[in-house]
Amino acid sequence: MLSGKTYVVTSIDLVNAVNRNSKVLAFNPFIAFLGKRITGHDETTSRIVQHNLNGENGQGYVIEIHDGTVSSLASGPALNHMTANMLAEATTFFDGLKAGAVIDLFAWTKRMVTLCSTQGIYGKDNPFNTDVERMVQNFWSVQPLLVVDSSIPALIFEITKHRQFDEDLNTLILDFAPAILAPKGNRARWELGRAFSRYFDRFDAGQSSPAALTKHRYSVNARYRLSSFNQGRLEVGVLLGILANTIPTIFYTILHVLSDPQLLEDVRGEIEALALRREEGKLVLQVLQVREKCALLYSTLQETLRVHAQGSSVRYVREDIMLQERWLLKKGMVVQMPQAVMHSDPEAWGPDVSVFNPRRFLKQSTTARDNEKAFKPQLAAYRPFGGGTSLCPGRHFVTMEAMVLTAVMVMGFEVLPVDGQGWKIPTQKQESMATNVFPPGEDIQVEVRQRRGWEGLVWEME
């Protein structure tokens, strides 16, 4: 799979054609090719994963897991339950800032989102609660050494082409003596797998109240008779899907709002008018209203993803296929659709494509000034969550999480950089291909204090 041509597709029409031919231009073969190398599960589990991989004879394991994930993370009661568990944990982090603090913003965001997201997904028995510092350290030791979702194939082929990325990453994925050549990541992966094996050994959905996502996965794993060891190993891959892109996304969304005084004022006004209710001694944030009514905050998140999502969607060509009666794609080759190219195309986004414009995704009637018609973006070029049958099923949860956590931060606190030099948006660490939204190359130290007039108020999520 690592040899042969790579077809790079940047035309919107061709991308849509690729998406329409998901049986022939498939993502699932990469799961079979890289799955064991990423998580370290055994050969028996690999055979289960590969069986009926593309639905040749009905649903196979991968399709069942995918379909259940999509339904579990769709808008509705299951997503609301998971979000409520996440937000209950988040309030403890924001409470810790009320006395005032100096924090490294990315490090703080990374820790908060790691614990809040896993609490929402795994419930009261969340394995991260057993040894918080060790588990967080383990995940962020293994995360730079592994890749997940649509960026996996892009990374592999870039490694093959350039041979310049992290040697540990190469070693784990190429499965060559990882215990010797990538000891830190290999050990962290083993400890995470063991913790989740214990979680599934004692799994009690009634007591732990995990997300529907976790209950479905446990049910499918049990039906396929996967051991708790292999369930734990597979969960390492799930963690990457949950956290790797989400954390940089939330960091950059918060940062873009805080660093733009006019945007900060407008977002605060929008949230206070549409999604916040003051009661005696508390602030009630109406979570669904944040998502459904706060158009400027949502547009800011979308623009954050347009600017900062720089990964790639990739497909494997299972059979020869002709696209648009012109482009012949040969069996065994790879199709790559780089987000960075499409997200920076002036024909799709206008002459200000290189500028962060938080109002870019608002309806034209709200963005046009002086009766001039605003440029209408070609939204088909917007692909931070991929597209087609491999469209990220977690996009609704990520959107809700990012918007609500940003809302609490900007409404409850004044945040200023401590170096006295003003705000700056750190460049992304582009040498790492482990995520679609790359992490910052450096952190930002900020001073956080409660907003004047908002002191002592308790946050409540509704």
Side-chain angles (χ1 to χ4, degrees):
M1 188 177 283
L2 295 180
S3 61
K5 288 183 179 179
T6 297
Y7 303 106
V8 179
V9 177
T10 59
S11 159
I12 295 173
D13 289 342
L14 276 176
V15 167
N16 290 335
V18 170
N19 289 339
R20 287 193 297 270
N21 289 278
S22 60
K23 292 290 186 182
V24 176
L25 304 174
F27 175 69
N28 284 354
F30 291 106
I31 297 175
F33 178 67
L34 296 173
K36 182 177 183 296
R37 302 168 186 229
I38 291 171
T39 68
H41 57 259
D42 66 19
E43 291 295 338
T44 300
T45 302
S46 289
R47 287 193 292 273
I48 291 171
V49 169
Q50 293 177 47
H51 181 65
N52 278 349
L53 189 63
N54 298 292
E56 300 91 340
N57 298 295
Q59 280 195 329
Y61 175 84
V62 170
I63 295 176
E64 283 195 57
I65 289 290
H66 173 268
D67 290 352
T69 300
V70 170
S71 62
S72 298
L73 293 177
S75 297
L79 179 63
N80 294 343
H81 170 78
M82 186 166 73
T83 303
N85 283 350
M86 180 273 293
L87 293 175
E89 182 72 13
T91 56
T92 64
F93 280 87
F94 289 110
D95 286 345
L97 298 176
K98 287 182 177 179
V102 174
I103 61 172
D104 294 321
L105 186 58
F106 183 69
W108 182 85
T109 303
K110 182 167 64 175
R111 190 175 189 277
M112 174 186 67
V113 178
T114 298
L115 293 176
C116 293
S117 297
T118 54
Q119 194 72 15
I121 290 165
Y122 299 109
K124 298 174 184 176
D125 294 330
N126 177 15
F128 276 77
N129 293 339
T130 59
D131 187 343
V132 170
E133 298 305 327
R134 181 70 176 175
M135 288 291 286
V136 171
Q137 180 185 13
N138 277 335
F139 177 76
W140 291 103
S141 294
V142 74
Q143 190 272 334
L145 307 179
L146 301 174
V147 290
V148 71
D149 198 48
S150 60
S151 61
I152 293 174
L155 173 58
I156 293 299
F157 289 102
E158 288 298 310
I159 287 171
T160 304
K161 185 169 69 172
H162 297 299
R163 303 286 183 184
Q164 292 177 347
F165 293 110
D166 188 281
E167 291 182 4
D168 282 338
L169 175 61
N170 297 354
T171 303
L172 276 181
I173 293 177
L174 297 178
D175 204 23
F176 180 74
I180 298 172
L181 300 179
K184 185 177 180 181
N186 188 65
R187 176 70 181 180
R189 179 175 62 179
W190 182 84
E191 290 191 13
L192 286 168
R194 181 179 62 177
F196 277 94
S197 293
R198 291 171 176 169
Y199 173 79
F200 287 117
D201 267 337
R202 303 189 297 266
F203 189 76
D204 185 336
Q207 176 183 341
S208 186
S209 190
L213 169 73
T214 304
K215 289 188 281 189
H216 167 77
R217 208 161 50 250
Y218 176 79
S219 174
V220 173
N221 288 339
R223 186 151 39 80
Y224 279 88
R225 298 183 179 179
L226 298 188
S227 68
S228 59
F229 167 84
N230 287 300
Q231 290 186 58
R233 284 305 180 103
L234 289 171
E235 211 65 21
V236 175
V238 174
L239 283 174
L240 291 167
I242 293 165
L243 299 172
N245 293 305
T246 304
I247 289 166
T249 297
I250 293 174
F251 166 77
Y252 276 111
T253 303
I254 291 173
L255 185 56
H256 278 295
V257 176
L258 292 174
S259 62
D260 182 335
Q262 186 61 58
L263 178 60
L264 177 60
E265 180 182 339
D266 292 347
V267 166
R268 281 175 169 172
E270 178 182 68
I271 294 168
E272 189 161 10
L274 300 174
L276 189 68
R277 188 174 69 250
R278 286 195 185 215
E279 296 181 0
E280 186 165 347
K282 64 182 179 180
L283 296 164
V284 180
L285 187 66
Q286 297 166 291
V287 173
L288 294 181
Q289 295 291 82
V290 171
R291 173 62 185 87
E292 295 171 3
K293 301 291 186 181
C294 295
L296 177 57
L297 179 57
Y298 183 43
S299 178
T300 302
L301 170 61
Q302 290 178 292
E303 180 72 347
T304 297
L305 287 166
R306 183 192 72 83
V307 170
H308 294 285
Q310 300 178 357
S312 185
S313 299
V314 182
R315 303 291 183 269
Y316 181 71
V317 185
R318 299 180 62 222
E319 301 291 343
D320 288 1
I321 184 172
M322 184 75 73
L323 294 183
Q324 297 183 334
E325 300 182 348
R326 179 182 179 186
W327 305 102
L328 175 63
L329 308 185
K330 299 292 289 183
K331 178 181 178 179
M333 304 305 162
V334 173
V335 177
Q336 190 172 358
M337 296 168 283
Q339 295 165 357
V341 175
M342 286 182 279
H343 288 178
S344 59
D345 183 357
E347 292 188 5
W349 303 104
D352 67 339
V353 65
S354 62
V355 176
F356 185 91
N357 178 3
R359 293 168 174 79
R360 189 182 305 276
F361 289 85
L362 294 175
K363 292 181 180 179
Q364 280 198 33
S365 61
T366 63
T367 59
R369 303 279 177 89
D370 301 324
N371 295 319
E372 294 181 5
K373 186 176 181 180
F375 183 90
K376 185 176 181 180
Q378 298 181 41
L379 297 182
Y382 180 70
R383 294 180 58 83
F385 298 112
T389 56
S390 64
L391 185 66
C392 175
R395 64 194 182 279
H396 300 297
F397 180 63
V398 171
T399 298
M400 183 80 79
E401 186 174 24
M403 291 182 69
V404 171
L405 295 180
T406 300
V408 176
M409 176 62 94
V410 303
M411 294 304 294
F413 301 93
E414 298 289 357
V415 184
L416 294 171
V418 299
D419 61 7
Q421 300 299 311
W423 289 104
K424 63 177 181 178
I425 307 298
T427 57
Q428 292 171 269
K429 195 163 52 178
Q430 297 188 24
E431 70 271 19
S432 169
M433 295 292 289
T435 59
N436 285 334
V437 184
F438 305 138
E442 58 181 335
D443 212 332
I444 295 180
Q445 196 169 66
V446 297
E447 180 183 1
V448 184
R449 62 180 184 274
Q450 282 193 285
R451 291 176 66 190
R452 185 174 299 176
W454 297 59
E455 300 93 338
L457 297 175
V458 176
W459 281 98
E460 183 176 297
M461 307 297 172
E462 180 179 272

